Amino acid sequence: RQIDTVKLAALFKETRYGHLKVSLRSDDHNLNVAAILEPLGGGGHKMAAGCSLEMPFDSACKLVLGKLEAGLYESLGQLQPV
């Protein structure tokens, strides 16, 4: 299903072994979620990608959300605020 105003969805799931699975979906053709997760060992397609991280939940969320924010600014053709 789609929600008109949602351009990006991120799901963070902690496994019972302490790993974190990240899943990203995009409805914006200018936002390549596979490229965002590739440096983290992830893969997928331009509009659907995922990765697994072996780090604490808080650290992983901060890392991924920072990369997503940078990717969103880039897709909008804007510079990030300092």
Side-chain angles (χ1 to χ4, degrees):
R1 297 190 177 182
Q2 266 183 317
I3 301 172
D4 292 336
T5 57
V6 174
K7 298 298 179 192
L8 173 71
L11 175 68
F12 296 84
K13 181 180 178 185
E14 193 169 22
T15 70
R16 63 180 170 186
Y17 303 108
H19 300 141
L20 187 69
K21 292 190 174 205
V22 180
S23 178
L24 302 179
R25 300 293 182 267
S26 173
D27 191 33
D28 182 344
H29 293 281
N30 295 319
L31 179 62
N32 185 342
V33 293
I36 291 170
L37 292 182
E38 185 178 16
L40 302 177
H45 304 278
K46 183 176 181 177
M47 297 177 73
C51 72
S52 294
L53 301 172
E54 294 183 29
M55 62 178 60
F57 186 87
D58 291 346
S59 299
C61 287
K62 186 175 181 178
L63 176 67
V64 173
L65 292 175
K67 291 192 173 293
L68 282 174
E69 183 177 30
L72 284 169
Y73 276 105
E74 185 178 320
S75 75
L76 294 171
Q78 297 177 357
L79 296 176
Q80 287 189 42
V82 179

